[in-house]
Amino acid sequence: IDLYSNDQSVGVITRDDGDILVAGTQGIDYTWNSNTDYGQFVIVRLGYDGTNEATYKTNLGQGEFVETIAELPDGKFLLVGTTESDFALTRHKPDGSLDTDFGTNGQVRTPIGNADDRAYGITVQPDGKLVVSGGAHNGQNWDVALARYNNDGTLDNSFDNDGTLTTPAPGDDNARNVLVLDDARLLTLGTASSDFALNRYLGDSDQ
């Protein structure tokens, strides 16, 4: 599937009707080129036989990367990644089109720190809230970063008072994935100074 140049697919979902939804980035732009054809969030819907039925592109800004796709219990799904150094999410209807009831016209952007932020993973809590994991640069190195959202895409201010949380540690750290445990605590998995790293959080307002 040739969308532009430097395209990258990162995940796939299969539907009950046989359709295949492929998520990725159109034209990864390592230079933050002002050309808006670069760096768009993309969903390609394929038929069971591989026929390209539709392509949905979302331009959130510059320097966009999609990292993962997650299906929701109601059949909708989320793309998670980064735009202009902020956490970025888009929510889509089952057919791949943007769900405008989420965030602003289906899009959410969240700055975590005062420098670069990268979103990598997502999990859905039993109450429907969304927890996104990644990293936030503090000006010297990278810290583990989390953000929790309500179902409509607004930040959940009951989570560490403002909906976002960073965990500093020596060296460069990130959380590539996040899980909800049976006791409702959160577990992040990633790296810390080139080592495997896991952090566990209470999952409530007192992290």
Side-chain angles (χ1 to χ4, degrees):
I1 303 171
D2 185 6
L3 298 172
Y4 196 70
S5 63
N6 295 329
D7 304 324
Q8 177 178 282
S9 61
V10 297
V12 63
I13 288 176
T14 57
R15 313 298 303 180
D16 291 341
D17 61 4
D19 280 355
I20 302 166
L21 300 174
V22 181
T25 309
Q26 171 183 290
I28 293 176
D29 179 13
Y30 298 101
T31 63
W32 284 29
N33 192 309
S34 59
N35 184 342
T36 56
D37 288 331
Y38 278 106
Q40 296 189 44
F41 281 30
V42 174
I43 289 289
V44 178
R45 191 177 79 232
L46 305 174
Y48 181 77
D49 62 356
T51 303
N52 190 337
E53 296 181 344
T55 300
Y56 300 95
K57 304 176 183 180
T58 307
N59 181 20
L60 291 91
Q62 294 177 304
E64 298 174 32
F65 298 87
V66 175
E67 296 288 351
T68 192
I69 182 173
E71 190 169 15
L72 301 174
D74 61 1
K76 297 177 182 180
F77 58 94
L78 290 154
L79 299 188
V80 177
T82 302
T83 183
E84 295 182 359
S85 299
D86 293 337
F87 278 22
L89 297 83
T90 59
R91 191 169 75 186
H92 300 258
K93 298 176 182 178
D95 67 354
S97 61
L98 277 173
D99 176 12
T100 56
D101 291 333
F102 182 77
T104 302
N105 296 321
Q107 308 171 33
V108 168
R109 290 179 54 172
T110 305
I112 305 297
N114 296 320
D116 289 345
D117 306 316
R118 297 286 185 269
Y120 297 117
I122 187 171
T123 192
V124 183
Q125 296 186 167
D127 61 4
K129 292 182 179 180
L130 313 170
V131 181
V132 176
S133 65
H137 201 275
N138 60 29
Q140 296 182 328
N141 51 40
W142 289 88
D143 297 329
V144 169
L146 294 175
R148 189 164 73 183
Y149 301 89
N150 298 306
N151 185 56
D152 62 359
T154 58
L155 282 170
D156 173 18
N157 290 328
S158 71
F159 183 73
D160 206 49
N161 298 317
D162 64 356
T164 66
L165 171 70
T166 57
T167 302
D172 288 321
D173 312 298
N174 65 63
R176 289 279 176 174
N177 211 337
V178 57
L179 304 172
V180 180
L181 303 178
D182 290 341
D183 60 3
R185 296 185 183 189
L186 301 171
L187 182 70
T188 63
L189 304 92
T191 59
S193 300
S194 301
D195 295 328
F196 282 14
L198 291 83
N199 292 326
R200 191 172 70 182
Y201 300 87
L202 296 175
D204 56 22
S205 59
D206 300 319
Q207 301 305 313

